[in-house]
Amino acid sequence: MNSSQSHVENLRQAATALNLTLDERQESAILAYMAQIQKWNKTYNLTALRQPEQILVQHVLDSLAVVNPIQNFLQTRSGNDETVIVDVGSGAGLPGTLLAIMHPEWRVYCVDAVEKKMAFVRQMSSILGLPNLHAVHGRVEQLPVYNADIVVSRAFASLPDFVQWASRHAGPDGVVLAMKGRVPQDEIDALHDAQAQWRVERVEALHVPLLDAQRCLVWLHRQGNS
């Protein structure tokens, strides 16, 4: 089995472990996305990871691990309005690009202050045929409010800073999600000490296939919202 076949097999097995079903279009899009990250990394410093296996596990699978938790939350919502997700400090489009691939009915905005990274996401929207994926260059605290269902970040900032800068983009019933490694108890305590509007409702353990490290998803809700 060559390296390319190995990546395909690892992706398929990981998707099964995550209880995700990849159709041919989604699988092709994910593999093409990985290849484009490698290509762009030769010229632009999109990510610190260079090897395909690193990109697959630490970027792609790490992002795919939050698809079902988000989907399960959205299924509890009433109404048929289009789902809006804002990925803050998205970098090379993580996790936003994977969310857009897995759920073309979600409208995903990837936000980052580095233009070259948003140029990459813009290109991915075109190459991968993802009209639901949007790249936004700018500082999240200065952008027009999105009224999103989900505001998510992956390795972006501490919880207090993330909430301060990005929580205004969550709609009235929206939630803020922070993808973290170990449970950030110090950050949780600092957040609750700093303000009372947003509180940690729960911390959900995540299993990322092939990754020997802890991951969790911190769910933040406005006070008064369940």
Side-chain angles (χ1 to χ4, degrees):
M1 181 183 297
N2 62 37
S3 60
S4 177
Q5 290 173 324
S6 174
H7 299 148
V8 172
E9 186 59 30
N10 284 340
L11 174 60
R12 290 173 177 172
Q13 292 180 359
T16 299
L18 291 169
N19 197 26
L20 295 171
T21 300
L22 295 179
D23 61 27
E24 184 176 345
R25 178 195 63 82
Q26 291 165 329
E27 182 179 288
S28 297
I30 291 171
L31 295 171
Y33 175 60
M34 290 175 53
Q36 287 295 321
I37 289 179
Q38 290 178 266
K39 178 180 177 180
W40 277 60
N41 262 343
K42 294 176 181 178
T43 305
Y44 303 101
N45 185 29
L46 287 181
T47 80
L49 303 181
R50 294 291 190 267
Q51 298 304 314
E53 191 65 21
Q54 292 178 315
I55 293 170
L56 172 64
V57 176
Q58 297 185 47
H59 286 331
V60 170
L61 301 186
D62 193 56
S63 295
L64 287 176
V66 301
V67 172
N68 273 338
I70 289 176
Q71 176 182 287
N72 293 339
F73 167 76
L74 292 172
Q75 287 176 343
T76 68
R77 308 285 294 273
S78 59
N80 298 314
D81 293 340
E82 182 177 35
T83 294
V84 175
I85 297 176
V86 177
D87 173 14
V88 178
S90 183
L94 298 157
T97 302
L98 279 304
L99 299 179
I101 289 172
M102 295 304 297
H103 283 273
E105 75 278 12
W106 294 350
R107 184 151 42 104
V108 180
Y109 293 91
C110 293
V111 177
D112 203 282
V114 180
E115 167 57 29
K116 67 183 178 184
K117 294 181 178 180
M118 291 301 90
F120 173 75
V121 173
R122 213 169 287 121
Q123 185 77 350
M124 292 307 94
S125 176
S126 174
I127 289 176
L128 304 179
L130 298 171
N132 61 322
L133 178 64
H134 307 275
V136 182
H137 172 229
R139 299 185 66 85
V140 67
E141 67 269 27
Q142 298 173 350
L143 295 173
V145 172
Y146 282 97
N147 287 314
D149 300 278
I150 302 281
V151 177
V152 63
S153 77
R154 177 179 177 267
F156 169 62
S158 68
L159 288 179
D161 287 343
F162 178 36
V163 167
Q164 179 182 350
W165 295 333
S167 62
R168 67 192 186 91
H169 293 289
D173 298 316
V175 298
V176 171
L177 305 181
M179 299 169 64
K180 294 285 186 177
R182 295 178 180 272
V183 176
Q185 191 58 53
D186 289 347
E187 293 182 24
I188 294 171
D189 294 340
L191 172 74
H192 291 171
D193 288 342
Q195 54 80 55
Q197 182 180 20
W198 287 90
R199 314 297 281 181
V200 173
E201 189 261 345
R202 61 191 169 98
V203 179
E204 180 174 358
L206 297 175
H207 168 65
V208 179
L210 305 176
L211 181 64
D212 185 21
Q214 294 184 29
R215 290 290 188 269
C216 68
L217 187 62
V218 181
W219 291 78
L220 299 113
H221 290 241
R222 278 191 184 93
Q223 283 292 85
N225 289 2
S226 58

